[in-house]
Amino acid sequence: MTKYILKRVGISLITIFVLVTVVFFLARLMPGGPFNDPKLSETARENLSAYYGFDKPIFEQYITYLKNILSFDFGFSTKYPSRTVNDLLAGSFPYSVDLGVRALCFAISFGLVFGIISALNRGNKIDLIFVIIAVIGTSVPDFIMGAILQYFFAIEWGLLPIAEYKGFAYTILPSVGLGFYTMASVSRIMRASMLEVVQQDYIKTARSKGISRFRVTWKHQIRNAIMPVITILGPTVAAVLTGTFVIESLFAIPGMGKYYVESVQNNDYSLILGMTVFYGTFLVLCNMIVDILYGIVDPRIRIAGK
Amino acid sequence: MKHKRFMALGLATLLSLSVVGCSTPNTTVEDSGSTSASTSGSTAQTVSGEKIFRYSNKADIATIDPNKINCVPDATIGYHVYDGLYRSVQGNLQPAVAESHTVSEDGLVYTFTLRQDAKWSDGEPVTAQDFEYGMKRLCDPAAACSMSYLGVVFKNGAAVTAGEVPVDELGVKAIDDYTLEITLEHPADYFLSMLSMSQFMPVRQDIVEQFGGEFGGGADKQVYNGPFVVTQFGEGRLVMEKNPNYYDADSIKLDGVEVLTVADGTTAVSMFNAGDLDLAEVPSDLAPQYEGQTLSYYDGSNDYAALNHNNEYLANKNFRLALNYAINREEYNLLSHNGLYAENLRYVLPQVRGVEGEYGTEYPLEFFPLQGDMDKAQEYLTVAMEELGVSDPSEISLKLVVSDSDASKKEAEVVVNQWKNNLGIDVQINMVPYATRNAMLVPNSTEFDIIMTGWVPDYSDPYSYLELWYSTSSYNYLNYKSEAYDSYLDASKTTTGKERMDNLFNAEKVLLEDGALVPLQLREVQYMVSDRVENLGAYFIGLNYDYMYTDIVA
């Protein structure tokens, strides 16, 4: 087991290193520099380049950058000149995590329940309703879902606040808007997986042993059917927890989402790298945890890894 | 059996995660007292005894380091939390930290006498040394302030910024604690109005040295001497409170100001309607819906199609004039902006300051007809084609660069269509990201023949628009070279008052007679203000909203 985990950690570290290198050079290849405000004078641009160290040879910058990130120093943002990338991340990540965790709780609990109910009622009207919900959820993008929720629940009916993020009532609409897609996919995957498992021999064995229908469903069917859901959780957790541009912008939530778009638009090298390394590390970490979880849940995977 | 335990463990972890996540991050507005919003968003905020003005910006405030502020929303904060030598209230200069000043005969040396009761928020007095340090820091290459070019107005400003002479030789000197002497590079009537800009604010050397690069990166990483102090500056929110140390605190009615980041324009309008905001800008696609309920102001943006005079066709003056006369600016404004902007028939924004009053009133000019003049356009085109040796206008092919926003795309399409229909020339649209377009705005660029862009003035004077096209200016991406134009601008630097303004007006006329660029529109911002807000100003240079003396009634 230790060897398995060590191997996963090693692979993850290499992935992050490759990511840093590729993004570092790709960012420099983008047209225009970080100081392209037409108001800046030539001199101001030169001074700024020197201030941020962008005037040095690119390889030297790369080495300095690698050294700095070993001590978790991502430098100063160029768009927010008085703030370090760490400061920006530290301020916005809690909001994204908070929103993301709420969205996930909503998505997973409702998704699983919907999927299970749907599968147990296969073919009848209840199934149809849940299938329709799932299809809507997977096909309507979050900016439309968010806008619809906001329009009806906040603007038309005045049941919930329109925007901002400062109390439980404020979190409901964005969490549902953000989690709806995941909820729908979890429900679809769970339904399909439930239907597949029900045909397995061990279910028949369990039934023939005379175990009650409820116990078969609960202890055998659901537990085995949940594996594919765990598979999609790794990347989903990483994506949902590290911010979303659309929902955050729609509900005026100060999360990380906007920095992805802003940093690229502004060629904010430090912020682009900071965001990528942060997101990348988070994604790799989530996948690693999922891999390890597999190993725990399913011994066959653990053995194959040896 | 073992698996069951692991499953339970996993579920427990998930549950505990969700519990941890259920405490919202610290977003309460305790700092500003009782603005705690009711959970039902449809009811208005209750302001029990406290007067809090709330508005929003599309983007986060980037910095409150006065020297490094480089955009209008940030400068608006700077205006309200700092106090410079003079303060421009709706374009009228009021004494601020400076009680009075004298100017030498030659218009070069300004001596300011400072008031002695001005204090920083930590109780220290505001001294002439703070102004000297702030202005030197603006020009110091090591501080790398993006707006450092403003400092070229000081003696040696350009040389200091370029690192050619030491910072100590900048023409700013504190004679004693309350006397400041500023020497200019050349006489500049607009200099006093610049002193209201954030970049010219006093700065405390000890605070800068304490926080280094993070100076101005948080509410507690700076001290303030204006009518308000910043008490919270972080994700999506900047909160200001009235500054009790401010010498004129009695005139300040507001207890505080909350500036939110609301990236989505429609959300901001909904929040305004629900009473969550006291002011909201109305995006142009929503403007027809709110007709009659909005106010508007010129934000100073002057948009034009810039022509690259290095291009063989665009080097021809008659061809450039043909391009100018072929534009029906009324139709353009209607098609591209629902008629919400003002058509620009000249170059300089008419609202800037002239000799005594508005430049546009003192020097009226409608150079290009509102609906264009197709006959004139054809005449100029015919002459130009002869001069260029072109027999068919469709032989003339040009590349027009525009940034990839929806609004810019529409503008470009309308302009190009008018040229195609009215002149028969061939213009290709090339859309690029905003940052890429900006990178092309340098002299002698070969990336564009025509580029859709514009300029926002830094101070209220025609010179702020005109200085761009001086033949050696580093902003001259038109590659416009005119001896007459240069000589009028030169003359404006050695003259004052009406004589100087005449020179500037002549320069503007030369520019238009040469058809150096194609002026299109002056942008207007539509906004709504709550009835409970009194005495709010909107202004077009350096800041957008002036709520220093604003009051909240009802």
Side-chain angles (χ1 to χ4, degrees):
Chain A
M1 193 64 200
T2 322
K3 199 176 159 195
Y4 173 75
I5 292 176
L6 278 179
K7 198 174 155 193
R8 306 308 316 175
V9 173
I11 291 173
S12 304
L13 284 177
I14 294 169
T15 314
I16 293 167
F17 170 75
V18 172
L19 178 78
V20 170
T21 310
V22 170
V23 174
F24 181 90
F25 290 101
L26 273 185
R28 297 298 200 277
L29 282 176
M30 293 197 303
F35 314 114
N36 44 39
D37 182 340
K39 286 242 156 192
L40 300 194
S41 66
E42 205 58 46
T43 322
R45 245 173 240 150
E46 281 161 19
N47 290 342
L48 280 163
S49 283
Y51 182 84
Y52 285 95
F54 298 152
D55 57 340
K56 299 203 176 68
I58 183 133
F59 201 69
E60 195 182 324
Q61 289 182 46
Y62 174 65
I63 299 296
T64 317
Y65 189 77
L66 285 185
K67 272 189 211 149
N68 287 343
I69 59 170
L70 282 181
S71 52
F72 298 102
D73 172 12
F74 293 103
F76 279 90
S77 153
T78 53
K79 166 89 201 301
Y80 303 94
S82 318
R83 309 191 61 186
T84 59
V85 172
N86 288 343
D87 184 28
L88 291 170
L89 291 182
S92 56
F93 186 54
Y95 286 94
S96 292
V97 168
D98 185 81
L99 174 64
V101 168
R102 283 163 199 272
L104 276 179
C105 291
F106 160 77
I108 295 171
S109 49
F110 281 79
L112 287 181
V113 171
F114 286 5
I116 292 167
I117 297 179
S118 201
L120 294 180
N121 292 286
R122 184 182 188 186
N124 68 22
K125 276 182 186 157
I126 298 173
D127 183 26
L128 189 70
I129 292 170
F130 286 118
V131 168
I132 289 174
I133 293 179
V135 169
I136 292 174
T138 42
S139 48
V140 175
D142 58 353
F143 63 92
I144 293 182
M145 187 54 77
I148 290 175
L149 290 171
Q150 190 187 46
Y151 181 77
F152 285 107
F153 287 92
I155 298 173
E156 280 295 296
W157 302 331
L159 298 172
L160 292 165
I162 297 168
E164 289 186 83
Y165 206 70
K166 49 187 190 185
F168 180 69
Y170 290 84
T171 64
I172 297 174
L173 291 183
S175 312
V176 173
L178 179 60
F180 210 87
Y181 175 83
T182 312
M183 191 269 297
S185 2
V186 168
S187 130
R188 277 165 56 114
I189 291 169
M190 192 61 194
R191 179 180 180 274
S193 170
M194 286 280 285
L195 294 177
E196 198 190 307
V197 168
V198 83
Q199 304 187 352
Q200 298 293 320
D201 290 343
Y202 54 80
I203 299 287
K204 283 177 194 154
T205 314
R207 285 248 177 93
S208 57
K209 278 197 296 186
I211 301 175
S212 74
R213 205 190 142 93
F214 174 79
R215 278 179 67 96
V216 173
T217 309
W218 184 248
K219 302 236 161 177
H220 298 271
Q221 198 182 350
I222 294 180
R223 246 199 52 208
N224 281 293
I226 214 162
M227 282 297 283
V229 175
I230 296 180
T231 315
I232 66 154
L233 277 190
T236 306
V237 167
V240 170
L241 256 52
T242 47
T244 146
F245 178 68
V246 176
I247 294 288
E248 284 173 7
S249 143
L250 198 60
F251 291 97
I253 300 166
M256 289 167 71
K258 64 170 173 290
Y259 295 135
Y260 294 107
V261 180
E262 251 183 24
S263 62
V264 174
Q265 275 173 350
N266 296 316
N267 284 359
D268 190 337
Y269 295 154
S270 342
L271 193 53
I272 293 176
L273 277 160
M275 293 298 291
T276 325
V277 172
F278 186 82
Y279 180 72
T281 311
F282 202 77
L283 182 68
V284 166
L285 207 72
C286 286
N287 277 331
M288 195 178 85
I289 290 171
V290 167
D291 281 352
I292 294 171
L293 268 182
Y294 277 155
I296 294 169
V297 176
D298 190 340
R300 283 169 302 183
I301 297 172
R302 189 163 71 223
I303 291 158
K306 273 183 186 169
Chain B
M1 275 302 122
K2 215 166 82 187
H3 293 179
K4 222 178 286 171
R5 232 176 295 140
F6 283 124
M7 285 295 291
L9 207 87
L11 271 173
T13 323
L14 201 83
L15 275 174
S16 63
L17 246 170
S18 67
V19 171
V20 172
C22 285
S23 57
T24 336
N26 181 25
T27 53
T28 44
V29 279
E30 290 139 329
D31 291 334
S32 58
S34 54
T35 49
S36 54
S38 49
T39 38
S40 146
S42 58
T43 52
Q45 303 260 325
T46 44
V47 186
S48 54
E50 284 202 61
K51 295 175 171 179
I52 311 288
F53 174 65
R54 302 183 98 218
Y55 74 104
S56 71
N57 285 314
K58 278 194 178 301
D60 280 342
I61 300 296
T63 181
I64 46 176
D65 173 344
N67 291 141
K68 297 201 173 181
I69 281 176
N70 72 349
C71 61
V72 171
D74 294 17
T76 304
I77 306 297
Y79 177 85
H80 291 94
V81 299
Y82 304 117
D83 202 37
L85 292 168
Y86 281 87
R87 181 178 287 273
S88 161
V89 179
Q90 307 287 293
N92 298 313
L93 282 188
Q94 281 182 8
V97 177
E99 275 177 335
S100 63
H101 74 275
T102 56
V103 190
S104 65
E105 272 297 275
D106 55 7
L108 286 177
V109 184
Y110 286 67
T111 311
F112 297 91
T113 311
L114 310 191
R115 59 189 311 145
Q116 308 203 354
D117 57 349
K119 281 196 169 54
W120 291 99
S121 48
D122 64 351
E124 296 288 316
V126 178
T127 62
Q129 284 83 4
D130 297 333
F131 280 96
E132 179 186 338
Y133 179 73
M135 293 178 189
K136 284 187 170 165
R137 183 165 174 263
L138 173 67
C139 298
D140 187 351
C145 299
S146 48
M147 302 285 269
S148 58
Y149 73 94
L150 291 169
V152 300
V153 71
F154 298 127
K155 184 175 175 233
N156 291 332
V160 167
T161 312
E164 287 156 9
V165 301
V167 182
D168 278 342
E169 291 185 27
L170 191 76
V172 182
K173 203 167 85 191
I175 306 289
D176 59 47
D177 281 359
Y178 298 102
T179 312
L180 181 72
E181 186 187 277
I182 295 180
T183 312
L184 303 187
E185 186 74 29
H186 56 76
D189 285 358
Y190 53 88
F191 173 61
L192 286 180
S193 76
M194 293 176 86
L195 294 173
S196 186
M197 301 174 69
S198 297
Q199 292 81 7
F200 294 88
M201 293 295 139
V203 174
R204 280 268 294 279
Q205 184 167 4
D206 55 331
I207 307 286
V208 173
E209 279 162 6
Q210 185 184 343
F211 292 106
E214 290 184 50
F215 169 75
D220 50 358
K221 290 173 182 166
Q222 165 64 311
V223 289
Y224 312 92
N225 73 326
F228 298 95
V229 295
V230 180
T231 52
Q232 194 190 331
F233 168 37
E235 277 46 50
R237 180 182 301 267
L238 185 141
V239 180
M240 292 179 245
E241 267 175 42
K242 183 176 172 174
N243 180 2
N245 278 341
Y246 186 55
Y247 55 84
D248 194 20
D250 290 346
S251 311
I252 308 302
K253 304 285 191 297
L254 288 178
D255 293 308
V257 180
E258 245 186 278
V259 188
L260 304 178
T261 303
V262 181
D264 191 275
T266 315
T267 302
V269 171
S270 304
M271 290 174 76
F272 173 84
N273 288 333
D276 292 344
L277 292 176
D278 294 314
L279 180 155
E281 293 184 0
V282 182
S284 54
D285 50 332
L286 287 184
Q289 214 175 309
Y290 290 94
E291 215 181 325
Q293 302 170 47
T294 56
L295 302 166
S296 72
Y297 68 96
Y298 289 100
D299 71 356
S301 305
N302 175 355
D303 296 330
Y304 43 78
L307 310 174
N308 186 345
H309 295 211
N310 285 351
N311 175 282
E312 53 169 326
Y313 303 116
L314 295 169
N316 185 293
K317 176 176 154 183
N318 289 313
F319 182 60
R320 295 196 303 260
L321 285 169
L323 290 179
N324 261 301
Y325 281 104
I327 297 288
N328 179 340
R329 288 173 175 79
E330 189 177 36
E331 186 192 77
Y332 161 84
N333 187 24
L334 240 112
L335 292 178
S336 53
H337 300 290
N338 294 327
L340 288 173
Y341 291 166
E343 299 85 3
N344 193 12
L345 310 178
R346 64 190 297 170
Y347 171 58
V348 174
L349 180 79
Q351 281 77 13
V352 296
R353 210 171 162 72
V355 188
E356 297 286 332
E358 276 190 4
Y359 173 74
T361 322
E362 291 174 354
Y363 296 89
L365 181 67
E366 288 193 0
F367 198 88
F368 296 113
L370 182 60
Q371 298 177 324
D373 186 333
M374 302 314 145
D375 296 336
K376 259 194 181 169
Q378 278 304 331
E379 275 170 40
Y380 281 117
L381 182 66
T382 317
V383 180
M385 282 174 19
E386 251 170 56
E387 287 168 356
L388 291 164
V390 178
S391 53
D392 188 340
S394 62
E395 286 173 35
I396 299 177
S397 173
L398 297 167
K399 181 168 107 176
L400 180 140
V401 171
V402 63
S403 69
D404 55 6
S405 78
D406 286 343
S408 317
K409 190 182 149 195
K410 230 193 269 176
E411 292 171 4
E413 278 169 355
V414 175
V415 167
V416 166
N417 262 322
Q418 293 194 354
W419 280 332
K420 277 186 181 164
N421 296 338
N422 301 338
L423 297 176
I425 59 168
D426 173 42
V427 184
Q428 300 296 329
I429 298 179
N430 184 16
M431 295 210 336
V432 297
Y434 181 71
T436 312
R437 187 212 64 179
N438 286 350
M440 293 179 183
L441 298 175
V442 288
N444 298 318
S445 167
T446 52
E447 307 277 338
F448 69 91
D449 300 325
I450 303 173
I451 193 162
M452 305 290 283
T453 179
W455 186 253
V456 187
D458 298 304
Y459 43 89
S460 188
D461 191 274
Y463 189 68
S464 186
Y465 289 100
L466 294 165
E467 66 176 327
L468 301 183
W469 317 123
Y470 193 85
S471 55
T472 53
S473 150
S474 70
Y475 296 94
N476 185 3
Y477 48 83
L478 297 179
N479 307 306
Y480 176 58
K481 306 246 169 354
S482 158
E483 277 176 32
Y485 187 79
D486 287 0
S487 67
Y488 281 127
L489 284 191
D490 285 338
S492 82
K493 290 180 190 171
T494 54
T495 49
T496 57
K498 173 147 192 334
E499 201 187 344
R500 170 174 175 278
M501 205 50 71
D502 287 343
N503 280 316
L504 293 177
F505 182 55
N506 285 329
E508 186 188 5
K509 277 196 289 188
V510 168
L511 188 78
L512 293 166
E513 279 157 12
D514 282 340
L517 41 70
V518 184
L520 292 170
Q521 69 199 10
L522 303 170
R523 283 195 219 173
E524 283 184 86
V525 178
Q526 312 280 325
Y527 67 105
M528 296 189 286
V529 183
S530 153
D531 292 338
R532 63 189 206 116
V533 175
E534 259 182 13
N535 216 358
L536 175 86
Y539 186 56
F540 60 95
I541 286 165
L543 68 154
N544 40 18
Y545 302 105
D546 179 350
Y547 39 82
M548 178 170 167
Y549 298 116
T550 292
D551 198 359
I552 296 224
V553 292

